Amino acid sequence: MLDFNFKNPTNILFGKGKIATIKECIPSESRVLVLYGGGSVKKNGTLDEVFAALHGYTLFEFSGIEPNPSYETLMKAVELVHKESIDFLLAVGGGSVIDGTKFIAAAALFEGEPWSILEKGGTPVKKALPMGTVLTLPATGSEMNCGSVITRKSLQAKLAFMSPHVFPLFSVLDPEKTYTLPLRQISNGVVDAFVHVVEQYLTYPVNAKIQDRFAEGLLLTLIEEGPKALENPKDYEVRSNLMWASTLALNGLIGAGVPQDWATHMIGHELTAMHGLDHAQTLAVILPNLLEVCRQGKREKLIQYAERIWGFNEGDNDQRIDAAIDQTRKFFERMQIKTRLSDYGIGTDSIPDLEEKLKAHGMIRLGERQEITLDVSRKILELSL
Ligand code: NZQ
Ligand code: ZN
């Protein structure tokens, strides 16, 4: 029997022009720090809209949060928060700016060295500054969840933390704000969201019909709309469907009460930390091979996936599983993401170092049954070459 709690406090403001309404969500006396990345939101006018909407507040600005946000950069923002007694954070950007802002929100009120928030066995977050987001890149779901992934460049470590204290209080999802995304980021977003769904769906059956069918609806939508966004980037309806799909892919709804397997993400984080691949590129490389290596444990769900997502309703089960894994890879390639380590110049010689990093970060029993040991991860990496 399913037994779970589901809590998600993020208020979603979805649609054209919604930035103008954020005043309703931020107390008027707040000292607000607006955080963004390398400047895309400046160029496309989103930042001007945000500042116009915040007229009358005491405002501060912090720019330069990089993709795969770094502890080194974020700690500079923490200094600014302390110096200016900032009490509200507003992230304007993609998953990196949002994740970075979550870390700043927690680090600013943390007693001790904030890196320990991310370390295995580290201190849990007990409080954080309130924050909101204006999303410009649908992908991570960070706008409606309490997770954050931070890189410490000096240690080549990319680690995650979760805390209910860093749920955004509100997130603006205006699909028009995604029109300026480079094709590579559209692709990244679709593949990231797709893999989030798969990691909460492709495990073993627990008769969670709602979670399964919601997950299948999200996968079918991503498969249908993803390629359209590449062909016709200014189609509002396509962008809306993708934006809502990627938020729902990782806001806790489809994962509530069901087994989950985040091994693709954990192995992927090591690839980004060591070789600098985009987050979604790592997932496109690892997932098809993980499904292959773990096909026995995932057999029943793989058959369901083959039937309901790819329409393989007849024939030998093993052939249907083969075909479903093949279609998964082909979908990533249709989204213009390469699916082999060798496509990114990574060879066999990197595998021992990656294994070392997995071990150092405690990633030694991954998967829905904790059966993805270092040996299994090595097999997955070898198959990914
Ligand atoms: O920095 P700027 O100039 O803003 O440019 C960004 C960046 O270069 C650009 N961009 C964003 N919106 C744009 C735009 N360019 C033009 N027009 C727009 N509207 O896109 C580039 C990539 O941005 P980034 O935020 O890094 O991408 P994404 O949203 O894919 O975030 C990836 C990060 O999120 C983490 C990943 O590990 C990675 O660090 N994840 C966070 C999760 C979470 N919090 O739940 C879960 C995910 O699995 C993931 O691990
Ligand atoms: Zn992801």
Side-chain angles (χ1 to χ4, degrees):
M1 200 178 110
L2 288 178
D3 181 5
F4 57 85
N5 296 323
F6 177 67
K7 180 180 174 229
N8 193 312
T10 309
N11 184 7
I12 295 294
L13 310 168
F14 194 105
K16 289 183 195 183
K18 285 287 196 246
I19 289 175
T21 68
I22 56 181
K23 248 185 161 160
E24 293 161 24
C25 305
I26 308 176
S28 57
E29 70 288 359
S30 302
R31 294 169 69 78
V32 182
L33 177 61
V34 177
L35 303 108
Y36 57 97
S40 71
V41 297
K42 222 170 184 172
K43 257 186 253 152
N44 65 18
T46 305
L47 201 64
D48 286 342
E49 267 184 63
V50 168
F51 282 125
L54 291 178
H55 184 72
Y57 286 86
T58 309
L59 296 177
F60 302 87
E61 206 173 311
F62 185 86
S63 65
I65 299 181
E66 58 280 78
N68 308 307
S70 77
Y71 167 85
E72 288 84 349
T73 300
L74 302 172
M75 288 307 289
K76 292 185 191 147
V78 173
E79 257 177 58
L80 180 65
V81 167
H82 289 155
K83 182 165 157 257
E84 301 292 354
S85 306
I86 282 155
D87 54 18
F88 199 99
L89 305 179
L90 181 62
V92 185
S96 293
V97 174
I98 300 175
D99 281 10
T101 301
K102 288 175 176 174
F103 179 74
I104 295 161
L109 303 186
F110 191 75
E111 283 159 25
E113 164 53 65
W115 181 248
S116 89
I117 295 171
L118 292 141
E119 279 171 326
K120 192 168 176 280
T123 325
V125 171
K126 295 205 183 81
K127 51 191 171 175
L129 288 174
M131 62 175 279
T133 89
V134 174
L135 180 68
T136 63
L137 197 177
T140 63
S142 188
E143 65 279 6
M144 201 181 178
N145 70 33
C146 63
S148 161
V149 192
I150 305 299
T151 295
R152 189 158 183 176
K153 290 182 195 161
S154 59
L155 302 177
Q156 275 194 332
K158 183 174 180 181
L159 301 174
F161 80 98
M162 292 179 85
S163 163
H165 298 287
V166 299
F167 269 114
L169 296 184
F170 67 88
S171 284
V172 176
L173 275 60
D174 175 351
E176 285 192 326
K177 299 294 163 249
T178 70
Y179 286 174
T180 54
L181 280 170
L183 293 184
R184 169 169 162 184
Q185 299 303 342
I186 297 177
S187 302
N188 280 349
V190 170
V191 168
D192 191 21
F194 187 94
V195 177
H196 293 159
V197 179
V198 168
E199 288 177 299
Q200 298 162 90
Y201 167 74
L202 255 177
T203 56
Y204 54 83
V206 291
N207 201 21
K209 295 196 170 183
I210 306 298
Q211 291 87 329
D212 273 10
R213 288 185 167 128
F214 265 58
E216 286 154 2
L218 294 172
L219 293 177
L220 291 168
T221 304
L222 292 164
I223 292 166
E224 225 167 81
E225 303 296 276
K228 288 188 203 162
L230 293 179
E231 280 155 29
N232 191 1
K234 297 218 164 142
D235 185 319
Y236 182 81
E237 289 174 13
V238 168
R239 292 308 189 107
S240 305
N241 281 314
L242 288 178
M243 203 167 205
W244 196 218
S246 48
T247 299
L248 290 172
L250 196 49
N251 73 343
L253 189 64
I254 62 167
V258 301
Q260 305 188 6
D261 169 11
W262 291 96
T264 299
H265 265 70
M266 296 309 129
I267 301 172
H269 288 168
E270 303 302 349
L271 279 168
T272 297
M274 196 174 290
H275 295 285
L277 273 67
D278 289 354
H279 174 60
Q281 291 171 337
T282 70
L283 308 176
V285 167
I286 298 298
L287 182 75
N289 303 300
L290 178 137
L291 295 179
E292 180 56 43
V293 170
C294 302
R295 64 188 283 155
Q296 265 329 49
K298 294 181 186 291
R299 187 174 177 82
E300 285 175 78
K301 274 311 214 23
L302 274 167
I303 294 168
Q304 180 177 324
Y305 172 70
E307 279 173 11
R308 296 192 190 173
I309 303 301
W310 300 109
F312 300 124
N313 294 315
E314 286 161 23
D316 174 79
N317 282 340
D318 278 303
Q319 282 172 0
R320 290 198 284 165
I321 292 174
D322 285 343
I325 296 175
D326 187 49
Q327 285 301 316
T328 308
R329 181 187 295 283
K330 289 203 171 110
F331 172 60
F332 297 157
E333 286 167 356
R334 210 174 326 131
M335 288 309 299
Q336 299 175 14
I337 301 199
K338 296 198 159 67
T339 59
R340 292 274 163 209
L341 284 175
S342 50
D343 293 325
Y344 301 94
I346 300 171
T348 329
D349 50 331
S350 289
I351 294 180
D353 292 340
L354 288 162
E355 221 182 305
E356 258 324 293
K357 287 285 184 189
L358 282 167
K359 191 173 167 192
H361 298 144
M363 305 297 166
I364 52 173
R365 288 197 179 280
L366 302 170
E368 63 272 27
R369 296 189 187 85
Q370 294 80 51
E371 285 176 355
I372 304 184
T373 57
L374 285 179
D375 279 348
V376 181
S377 290
R378 186 184 337 106
K379 273 192 201 122
I380 295 167
L381 285 163
E382 282 166 358
L383 203 61
S384 305
L385 286 166

